[in-house]
Amino acid sequence: MVKAVSKDFIWELLEKIPDPEIPAVSIVDLGITREVIFKDDQIHITITPTYSGCPAISFMKKEIVRSLEQNGINNYQIHTTLSPPWTTDWMSDEVKAKLSDAGIAPPGKLVHCPQCDTKNVEVISEFGSTACKALYKCNDCQEPFHHFKQF
Amino acid sequence: MRDTILFKYVLSLGDDALISAQRLAQWAYKAPFLEEDIALSNISLDLFGRANFLLEYAAELKGENTTADDLAFKRDERKFTNLLMCEHPNGNFADTIVCRFFLDAYDKLFFYTLSKSRDKQLASIAAKAIKETTYHYRHSSNWVIRLGDGTEGSHRKVQEAINNLWTFTGEFFKMTQTDIVMMKKKVGVDRKALKIEWDKTINDVCKEATLRIPENSFMTTGGREGIHTEHLGHLLSDMQYLQRAYPDATW
Ligand SMILES: [Zn+2]
């Protein structure tokens, strides 16, 4: 059965799905959901992986399916695209602020400590707990923190 | 099959990524310290992801309901066409770093050219690979410099690694029949042409790291023809064990 819904409604649903590794932001915030198209009674949703090896992508797909079906929507198709390759440039300032509030220094040339805002920081490891984050340490407040890498 | 040559080409690139990924994953929980354990595992994951894109594409080209998993788990050693460097055992930390440094420097050049391929699918996989490889290269080249220009012991180990692995670098630039056909169709990369730039990169980093590049010119090749070192069989017996013992098992 085809349920009549609006595109905005689909986007609203997607915006409620948090990134499984950084729950402070949604998959829409990160630019993982690229497109929602209505065609021939089907809702086509296109997503793109962040890093090639990001294990979260299949989980996100399942979350999208779950959310759609919970809302009685079953006429959908989910596609994956690699092009254009995902970039942190798609993150808005608002999303970067959300990351900062969650204690993660947002992508950017200059890394600030998310606790005390100093630029007096040093990198501990280029690779943090997930591929998208690097591990830093603040030399002023001494707090360790994650930096969402410019990518 | 739609295109046998293209299939072989994509498969060999998928094998490079898959075998590298599996090899690097063997560092998990054994690296010299925690940050490096996580770094190597993350790089391995990127390469598994890349292998997945390439093998899915190869499976699609092969048709007959082939899956990427079939290609990864149900082929014998001689059917794998990865570069020999990818299967080389991890050895000590310096050995792994040098192995990755040689491959990352090559991947950077290779995928940059491949991103301009006439084959849209290959071009988009390559564009994604470049971004990650840039990080991988930064990691491995920084370590070469730190170890080379480090203590007497670290310098010796990284120099030994360079001497031992050098023989596998010649294969990076050896064009096979498949490469030539793909290059002529503007789908594949002229690997031979990458050598000048690769040599320059390696020379610059080694100079900064106070390391010496070997003069010996004997190069061990064969990976792209399915002729491997004794190490690949052991790697596959571990990687393919489950699918061999319990065919088509899923979970
Ligand atoms: Zn601070």
Side-chain angles (χ1 to χ4, degrees):
Chain A
M1 203 200 64
V2 177
K3 194 180 165 189
V5 288
S6 70
K7 230 185 223 188
D8 286 346
F9 181 72
I10 301 293
W11 278 110
E12 270 168 39
L13 287 183
L14 296 173
E15 271 159 24
K16 281 183 202 139
I17 301 175
D19 178 89
E21 283 168 341
I22 311 167
V25 290
S26 78
I27 58 173
V28 176
D29 288 340
L30 289 178
I32 290 160
T33 37
R34 300 309 304 151
E35 207 172 53
V36 175
I37 288 179
F38 284 49
K39 199 183 156 201
D40 307 328
D41 283 345
Q42 289 283 308
I43 303 165
H44 296 265
I45 299 172
T46 304
I47 59 173
T48 192
T50 53
Y51 283 71
S52 299
C54 183
I57 191 83
S58 56
F59 183 79
M60 292 180 214
K61 218 183 242 179
K62 276 189 201 140
E63 285 299 294
I64 295 173
V65 169
R66 207 166 61 104
S67 169
L68 292 171
E69 301 206 333
Q70 266 177 359
N71 284 277
I73 301 164
N74 45 30
N75 52 320
Y76 59 84
Q77 284 181 36
I78 300 170
H79 311 275
T80 307
T81 183
L82 295 183
S83 183
W86 179 82
T87 166
T88 49
D89 297 347
W90 293 340
M91 256 183 231
S92 65
D93 288 343
E94 198 191 334
V95 174
K96 287 181 184 174
K98 277 197 215 172
L99 282 175
S100 214
D101 288 345
I104 300 164
K109 287 271 173 309
L110 271 177
V111 180
H112 296 251
C113 168
Q115 314 295 340
C116 71
D117 209 38
T118 179
K119 285 175 223 158
N120 183 17
V121 297
E122 73 179 281
V123 64
I124 297 175
S125 173
E126 289 269 8
F127 296 85
S129 56
T130 64
C132 58
K133 288 177 283 182
L135 205 55
Y136 274 71
K137 165 178 122 184
C138 175
N139 289 327
D140 284 354
C141 75
Q142 308 293 323
E143 285 287 325
F145 64 93
H146 272 121
H147 165 52
F148 201 115
K149 293 186 279 196
Q150 181 95 20
F151 190 74
Chain B
M1 200 184 304
R2 262 161 54 195
D3 186 338
T4 320
I5 306 273
L6 181 61
F7 167 72
K8 274 176 79 176
Y9 191 70
V10 176
L11 188 64
S12 67
L13 301 183
D15 286 348
D16 285 348
L18 178 66
I19 300 304
S20 286
Q22 177 72 14
R23 191 54 96 194
L24 269 185
Q26 292 172 343
W27 271 111
Y29 77 82
K30 291 186 204 158
F33 51 95
L34 185 62
E35 285 81 2
E36 228 13 70
D37 203 300
I38 293 167
L40 294 172
S41 301
N42 268 317
I43 295 168
S44 165
L45 266 182
D46 279 342
L47 294 169
F48 271 124
R50 185 185 303 171
N52 197 38
F53 294 141
L54 288 161
L55 294 181
E56 270 179 0
Y57 184 31
E60 185 192 317
L61 290 166
K62 189 158 192 276
E64 304 151 27
N65 298 320
T66 311
T67 66
D69 280 355
D70 291 337
L71 295 173
F73 298 120
K74 294 178 184 168
R75 277 181 303 147
D76 291 332
E77 182 193 353
R78 291 290 294 271
K79 299 281 186 203
F80 277 80
T81 52
N82 57 281
L83 297 169
L84 298 176
M85 186 75 85
C86 306
E87 69 202 46
H88 199 76
N90 285 331
N92 63 34
F93 184 65
D95 293 321
T96 294
I97 286 301
V98 168
C99 178
R100 290 317 310 168
F101 168 57
F102 286 156
L103 281 167
D104 293 340
Y106 165 78
D107 276 356
K108 252 178 71 161
L109 300 168
F110 181 86
F111 286 113
Y112 176 73
T113 316
L114 192 67
S115 70
K116 298 184 176 112
S117 170
R118 268 197 190 164
D119 185 286
K120 288 275 173 299
Q121 186 79 3
L122 272 182
S124 63
I125 295 172
K128 196 128 188 79
I130 296 170
K131 301 187 88 179
E132 286 152 8
T133 290
T134 306
Y135 262 106
H136 303 167
Y137 173 77
R138 204 157 89 189
H139 173 257
S140 58
S141 62
N142 280 342
W143 269 116
V144 167
I145 294 165
R146 269 175 85 176
L147 297 173
D149 197 17
T151 66
E152 202 182 305
S154 72
H155 177 90
R156 179 175 45 77
K157 283 183 179 169
V158 77
Q159 183 64 61
E160 275 170 12
I162 288 177
N163 298 348
N164 292 336
L165 291 166
W166 190 251
T167 186
F168 300 112
T169 60
E171 195 178 35
F172 295 1
F173 313 103
K174 194 180 165 215
M175 294 288 279
T176 63
Q177 212 47 45
T178 307
D179 281 312
I180 293 167
V181 175
M182 287 288 97
M183 182 191 82
K184 283 187 179 153
K185 287 190 172 170
K186 294 194 164 54
V187 168
V189 175
D190 182 357
R191 295 198 282 137
K192 207 172 159 191
L194 305 178
K195 190 168 176 5
I196 298 171
E197 191 62 30
W198 185 86
D199 277 340
K200 192 184 165 323
T201 308
I202 302 302
N203 271 312
D204 289 351
V205 172
C206 283
K207 201 171 162 196
E208 196 182 339
T210 72
L211 294 162
R212 202 177 40 78
I213 288 168
E215 278 152 30
N216 65 319
S217 58
F218 177 76
M219 290 296 169
T220 312
T221 61
R224 284 282 190 260
E225 283 83 44
I227 313 293
H228 293 277
T229 62
E230 68 271 31
H231 310 297
L232 182 65
H234 295 290
L235 180 145
L236 292 180
S237 67
D238 187 25
M239 185 179 86
Q240 298 181 331
Y241 163 75
L242 196 108
Q243 280 299 320
R244 299 286 190 174
Y246 307 96
D248 302 320
T250 54
W251 63 90

